[in-house]
Amino acid sequence: MRSSIKIALVHHHPVLIPQLAEPGRGYDAIHNSGHLLGLLKRYKFHAVLHRHKHNPFTFTDDISSASVTGDEHTIFFSCAGSLGSTGLPNMPGVSNCYNLITIKYHPNGDQFRVNCATRSLKIFNEDGSLRLAPRWDWHSIKMYDRYFTSVSRASQSPAIDESREFSRELDNEFESRRKNIYADSRGNMPVVEVKPSLLDGQAYEAICRIVLHRKDQATSDSWPERVIWSAGDKFPVKEINRDKDENFCVSFHYWGPMLVQARICFADGSTSVQHIYAHLPQSDR
């Protein structure tokens, strides 16, 4: 069961957040819900889907207890609206809706990712006037996209710190090389974020972008005109101009680890070539 995506389906709210409470109706949620949530966390459920209030919300339960040791586990909650109710208030901002949810889970990396798109039936025009029924259509009003991993995957401090003082005899040459990277790239550093891929047949998504070091000290010459990303002959080469995205963000979907190259091109014709490693997350459990 460790390799399975675990989803719980209930009707009432296991967690009643303030916006969903109604005066005069009592608690109006699952009784002894704390016991239920404890079981869901113990058995590593990834998501809880429920409805009841016809008011769409998404949130997570990632409370960490300082008195309980062991792996932490986050649960995603989707509180759905109503797809076909005729009793909703006839006013802008309130309409029939549904959630389109995609979940990707990687047991080896102890990671899961949730993408939840809330789709609403558009029955009002921009000026607030009511549309005629033939002109009603569905459109996305909110996109929720997060990924989660256990606390045990977080980097820990080493048990023995064998640091020493900086040595001019031993370290000066390497320090010069490190600073030359700043100079060569004009402070433009490639960074990567790895999360589970939502594409069929792929494992992970490497989201790459350029971060300008000390942006407050940047000059007009510091900014690249374009960045050319490549990750080998199995991937398309991606070229991003600054007028399209000032962060030069791209993504690669992959099964194994890879070295990503960023060719950072400036207006004066010079190019800086930098690299970053997209790893393959592995659980240490």
Side-chain angles (χ1 to χ4, degrees):
M1 293 293 292
R2 182 174 176 267
S3 62
S4 301
I5 297 175
K6 300 175 184 177
I7 300 174
L9 302 176
V10 296
H11 182 271
H12 280 66
H13 298 72
V15 178
L16 189 61
I17 59 180
Q19 293 92 328
L20 297 177
E22 296 177 354
R25 294 192 61 184
Y27 186 66
D28 199 23
I30 295 177
H31 292 289
N32 297 321
S33 60
H35 180 64
L36 171 63
L37 294 175
L39 289 174
L40 295 176
K41 290 178 79 71
R42 181 190 308 171
Y43 290 101
K44 306 292 186 182
F45 271 73
H46 300 98
V48 175
L49 310 182
H50 66 89
R51 51 185 302 264
H52 181 49
K53 292 292 187 182
H54 296 177
N55 197 345
F57 277 88
T58 56
F59 57 97
T60 59
D61 173 18
D62 52 3
I63 298 173
S64 176
S65 172
S67 61
V68 178
T69 58
D71 291 339
E72 303 291 345
H73 182 74
T74 299
I75 301 176
F76 165 75
F77 291 83
S78 172
C79 171
S82 173
L83 179 64
S85 174
T86 59
L88 298 179
N90 190 20
M91 57 186 296
V94 178
S95 66
N96 293 105
C97 65
Y98 66 93
N99 290 332
L100 182 62
I101 300 173
T102 304
I103 299 179
K104 189 70 168 282
Y105 173 49
H106 287 309
N108 289 338
D110 201 14
Q111 291 184 325
F112 74 98
R113 180 178 177 183
V114 177
N115 181 282
C116 178
T118 300
R119 304 273 295 167
S120 174
L121 184 62
K122 191 172 183 178
I123 63 177
F124 289 93
N125 295 309
E126 299 301 329
D127 60 3
S129 60
L130 189 65
R131 290 184 172 190
L132 297 177
R135 296 184 57 206
W136 293 356
D137 61 353
W138 294 95
H139 69 293
S140 295
I141 58 174
K142 191 68 175 289
M143 179 69 73
Y144 177 101
D145 190 348
R146 286 186 61 188
Y147 78 102
F148 308 92
T149 185
S150 68
V151 171
S152 62
R153 286 279 303 120
S155 298
Q156 302 293 326
S157 299
I160 300 176
D161 190 343
E162 298 181 350
S163 60
R164 57 173 175 78
E165 294 294 327
F166 183 91
S167 169
R168 294 187 179 279
E169 291 76 17
L170 296 176
D171 301 318
N172 259 350
E173 177 185 352
F174 297 97
E175 176 64 8
S176 296
R177 294 181 184 180
R178 188 184 71 85
K179 290 183 176 180
N180 285 341
I181 297 296
Y182 282 122
D184 179 68
S185 66
R186 304 185 191 182
N188 293 278
M189 299 288 117
V191 297
V192 64
E193 180 183 12
V194 174
K195 60 178 65 176
S197 171
L198 296 178
L199 293 184
D200 291 339
Q202 296 293 342
Y204 290 95
E205 179 181 5
I207 301 175
C208 305
R209 59 191 175 94
I210 297 294
V211 173
L212 184 59
H213 177 69
R214 298 303 301 269
K215 191 174 182 178
D216 58 321
Q217 298 182 4
T219 65
S220 58
D221 294 334
S222 301
W223 300 96
E225 288 294 305
R226 69 184 188 280
V227 175
I228 303 171
W229 299 91
S230 59
D233 56 7
K234 295 181 179 180
F235 300 91
V237 175
K238 302 185 178 186
E239 182 172 338
I240 305 295
N241 294 323
R242 188 172 66 180
D243 59 351
K244 297 296 183 182
D245 180 8
E246 65 176 12
N247 296 314
F248 305 96
C249 186
V250 299
S251 67
F252 295 93
H253 297 265
Y254 65 103
W255 263 100
M258 61 181 172
L259 188 65
V260 181
Q261 181 186 89
R263 283 171 276 175
I264 305 171
C265 307
F266 298 95
D268 61 7
S270 62
T271 300
S272 175
V273 179
Q274 305 295 330
H275 296 84
I276 191 167
Y277 186 67
H279 68 293
L280 188 66
Q282 295 290 329
S283 172
D284 53 11
R285 292 194 306 171

